[in-house]
Amino acid sequence: MDKIRAILKHKWALAAAGLAAVFLCALITLKTQKFLDVVGARVRAKVESSLVGHQFRMGGLSTNFVTNVTLSDIELSNNGGFAAGTFLTIEKLKLRFHIWDLLRFKTRGFKTTEIEAVKPVINLARMNNVWNIPKTGQSGGAVPLVNVKIVRGETRIASNDVRFDKIEALKITGVLNMQSGLPAAELSAETAQSEKLSLKGSIASDGAIHLEASGEDILTQNLAYRFERLSSSYSFSGPVDFQIKTDGRMPLEWENLKQWNYSGSLKVKSVKMRTPLNSSSLDLEARGELMFGKDKVEFQSFTVAGRGSELAVSGSVTDLSAE
């Protein structure tokens, strides 16, 4: 009998533990769903109140119960609604939170300091000198102190101006860091022709701006046709690499921009150019590297060849900023 009582007692204990586990899971599920509903409603309300005239759609929300809330299939329209086109899509937006927000259900104080945007696609348009970049309808107060990680992003530009039309940046990866209250970014991207681009920049508390940009295997033919003065008389082909650093200060106005300092380099791997010469044309090929700054251009191992001759260019040109 004692053995039977012990077995029954053990079974009742297991059953009670099982019921407690089921009750706890149900409670967590209910609180989680309520938590997600509130987070989703607040995200929607924040977007719609900030971007007046734009429509917002979202597929759903999920969580791993520990660190992340994930918003899926996000869409933001152009001004005028989705009938006017889609400005932004994001496959997944992961918001990092603290487990205590979920356990205590502190949705009123729910904050995130890290965001991961997976496959964001921005469709920029520039028509009649006006960009379709959304304008906020209200000042949201302080800048959110967040760190935004971008994974496999894309940007496409459509324009009635050939200088901007059909520009695409693919495989955009990097970080936009706002945790200090001041923006800093480091991004890399590629084009459909395997051109590689990178950008790094920051703004200091005193308004000082530092930017660094570089490119590898940039095709000169893709650049030249965007400028009518070049494409109407000259033809180019071949890749170049470039690096440029610039330092300046807010605000971003033309009179202020002219005071910025900049420096960089241009490496011409093998660029061919056809230029008009009297009634015929002249084919040239350039190779080499040049360094440049605001007041100086310096040629290093730079050669230009054409019609069986080759010209080596060395030295520097100074006083470029003199008026």
Side-chain angles (χ1 to χ4, degrees):
M1 289 295 295
D2 292 338
K3 288 185 177 181
I4 294 175
R5 289 193 187 96
I7 292 172
L8 290 174
K9 185 177 180 181
H10 182 65
K11 287 184 176 181
W12 278 111
L14 289 176
L19 287 173
V22 170
F23 177 78
L24 182 61
C25 288
L27 180 62
I28 291 175
T29 300
L30 288 173
K31 293 195 72 173
T32 300
Q33 188 58 54
K34 189 176 181 182
F35 179 80
L36 293 177
D37 289 344
V38 172
V39 171
R42 294 195 175 187
V43 169
R44 183 183 300 277
K46 182 65 175 177
V47 172
E48 292 180 348
S49 64
S50 299
L51 302 175
V52 178
H54 297 261
Q55 292 179 325
F56 175 78
R57 292 196 294 229
M58 182 172 59
L61 289 91
S62 60
T63 181
N64 63 0
F65 296 98
V66 180
T67 57
N68 293 325
V69 171
T70 300
L71 289 67
S72 302
D73 302 324
I74 294 172
E75 295 179 89
L76 179 68
S77 76
N78 284 321
N79 189 23
F82 285 105
T86 301
F87 174 75
L88 170 69
T89 63
I90 304 177
E91 187 176 283
K92 291 183 180 180
L93 191 67
K94 299 179 181 180
L95 312 179
R96 189 173 182 85
F97 68 94
H98 197 285
I99 184 63
W100 289 109
D101 284 340
L102 178 60
L103 297 179
R104 297 177 181 179
F105 191 44
K106 293 175 60 178
T107 53
R108 178 172 298 181
F110 175 79
K111 294 181 180 179
T112 181
T113 57
E114 294 184 23
I115 298 175
E116 181 177 320
V118 179
K119 204 172 181 180
V121 178
I122 298 176
N123 298 300
L124 289 171
R126 184 181 187 270
M127 300 298 173
N128 301 320
N129 297 323
V130 178
W131 290 94
N132 67 330
I133 299 173
K135 298 178 181 179
T136 57
Q138 58 176 235
S139 60
V143 176
L145 304 180
V146 296
N147 187 55
V148 181
K149 181 180 179 182
I150 299 172
V151 180
R152 302 196 314 276
E154 298 180 10
T155 297
R156 303 185 179 97
I157 301 177
S159 176
N160 55 5
D161 186 332
V162 70
R163 293 175 299 170
F164 301 98
D165 192 36
K166 297 180 181 178
I167 292 178
E168 289 187 341
L170 311 175
K171 300 180 182 179
I172 301 173
T173 301
V175 175
L176 174 62
N177 192 338
M178 297 289 294
Q179 288 183 330
S180 65
L182 298 167
E186 188 166 355
L187 301 169
S188 63
E190 293 185 17
T191 69
Q193 293 78 32
S194 298
E195 300 165 296
K196 295 179 175 61
L197 302 164
S198 67
L199 176 67
K200 183 178 180 181
S202 62
I203 301 178
S205 58
D206 62 355
I209 300 175
H210 177 74
L211 294 174
E212 297 181 20
S214 64
E216 294 182 25
D217 296 323
I218 307 302
L219 299 177
T220 52
Q221 58 267 36
N222 290 345
L223 296 175
Y225 90 91
R226 298 186 181 277
F227 299 92
E228 184 177 357
R229 291 181 180 179
L230 285 176
S231 60
S232 61
S233 302
Y234 305 91
S235 65
F236 294 83
S237 65
V240 298
D241 295 348
F242 75 87
Q243 290 184 334
I244 184 169
K245 297 180 181 180
T246 181
D247 292 282
R249 188 170 298 277
M250 298 288 282
L252 299 177
E253 298 175 353
W254 177 243
E255 290 301 320
N256 191 30
L257 290 174
K258 291 192 295 184
Q259 306 302 318
W260 283 31
N261 292 316
Y262 58 86
S263 62
S265 65
L266 178 67
K267 183 177 182 180
V268 180
K269 295 182 175 180
S270 178
V271 172
K272 296 180 180 181
M273 179 180 72
R274 174 165 291 181
T275 178
L277 181 64
N278 298 325
S279 59
S280 62
S281 61
L282 175 63
D283 292 331
L284 300 173
E285 182 177 0
R287 299 173 183 269
E289 186 172 3
L290 60 86
M291 313 294 288
F292 61 87
K294 186 175 181 179
D295 303 314
K296 181 179 179 180
V297 174
E298 183 178 351
F299 294 89
Q300 298 181 347
S301 302
F302 201 90
T303 60
V304 179
R307 291 190 175 180
S309 301
E310 184 173 283
L311 174 66
V313 181
S314 62
S316 60
V317 180
T318 58
D319 296 328
L320 296 178
S321 62
E323 296 182 357

